[in-house]
Amino acid sequence: MRILFVLLGIATLLLLVWGYKFSRLGLESPSYQVVQQDGEFEIREYPSLVVVSTSMKSSMPNDGSFMRLFRYICGSNETGQKIAMTTPVLMTQDGEASQMSFVVPKEVADTGAPEADGEQVEIETIAAGKFAAYRYSGDQNRKAFQQAMARLESWLRENDRIAIDTPIAASYDPPFTPAMLKRNEVLVRIQ
């Protein structure tokens, strides 16, 4: 019986370590400076970020865009370099054009991210600047994003702030995370 408890303890520990490694807690996220905080709203100063991006057919991914980016970080690039996963996954929609991006880890960005091996994947830079942010939980979908963006737009108006770019949906957690524990954000560049 004692051996069974030891084996259960080891299995639990291994599951916790695996869960940590593949959750947002074990992944690099871009650094930023909080300039202003007002409840659930923040103004953040971000440095420039190198991202690897691909187009999407719709505003929320289910068209293979995630897997194109995932293959890139798994070595489908000009050097065969494996690149660590980061958070958040970024999604934008500007009219009919939708895009998904992974943030390239700082160490890789500093030395130069390798070009992709085709597959509609591009290396881009998001310029440094101030962004308004609103954090929410739940599954990332069009309705949740639109509700979050409406709240952020209302807060921006109340605080005499002006959005100057396309809003960004940011998802921090893997799909198997329970919805109430998921961290999502809407970000928008401001003047």
Side-chain angles (χ1 to χ4, degrees):
M1 191 63 146
R2 183 177 230 177
I3 293 173
L4 180 61
F5 284 120
V6 169
L7 290 174
L8 275 168
I10 291 170
T12 301
L13 181 63
L14 289 173
L15 278 172
L16 288 172
V17 168
W18 181 83
Y20 174 78
K21 180 176 170 77
F22 293 102
S23 73
R24 75 177 124 111
L25 299 175
L27 302 177
E28 180 182 324
S29 293
S31 62
Y32 58 84
Q33 185 79 31
V34 176
V35 176
Q36 177 187 350
Q37 185 161 15
D38 181 10
E40 45 201 10
F41 302 96
E42 291 181 340
I43 302 294
R44 300 174 181 168
E45 184 78 38
Y46 279 92
S48 63
L49 300 173
V50 175
V51 295
V52 57
S53 302
T54 190
S55 63
M56 295 189 307
K57 291 187 174 127
S58 64
S59 63
M60 293 296 153
N62 63 359
D63 66 344
S65 51
F66 182 90
M67 288 309 297
R68 283 193 297 276
L69 297 175
F70 190 73
R71 282 190 293 276
Y72 169 84
I73 67 171
C74 287
S76 182
N77 55 60
E78 67 181 0
T79 62
Q81 179 181 3
K82 292 186 190 255
I83 300 169
M85 182 71 185
T86 61
T87 63
V89 174
L90 306 173
M91 292 170 280
T92 59
Q93 182 174 7
D94 190 7
E96 292 298 313
S98 298
Q99 183 170 288
M100 177 184 284
S101 303
F102 287 0
V103 178
V104 175
K106 184 172 179 3
E107 184 177 310
V108 175
D110 288 347
T111 59
E115 291 298 319
D117 284 345
E119 286 206 66
Q120 308 159 338
V121 174
E122 297 178 17
I123 307 299
E124 301 175 335
T125 300
I126 298 174
K130 285 187 181 172
F131 289 79
Y134 172 71
R135 183 185 298 194
Y136 59 101
S137 60
D139 288 324
Q140 180 70 281
N141 57 51
R142 184 182 300 223
K143 182 179 177 184
F145 175 75
Q146 288 173 339
Q147 289 172 342
M149 189 61 216
R151 292 196 70 185
L152 183 58
E153 286 172 338
S154 176
W155 182 82
L156 289 169
R157 277 190 305 276
E158 291 168 9
N159 289 275
D160 297 320
R161 300 282 189 161
I162 299 171
I164 58 170
D165 209 348
T166 304
I168 301 169
S171 297
Y172 285 79
D173 296 290
F176 56 80
T177 303
M180 68 243 175
L181 299 176
K182 288 184 178 178
R183 175 182 172 185
N184 300 303
E185 293 177 341
V186 57
L187 303 164
V188 65
R189 186 182 297 274
I190 58 172
Q191 280 184 335

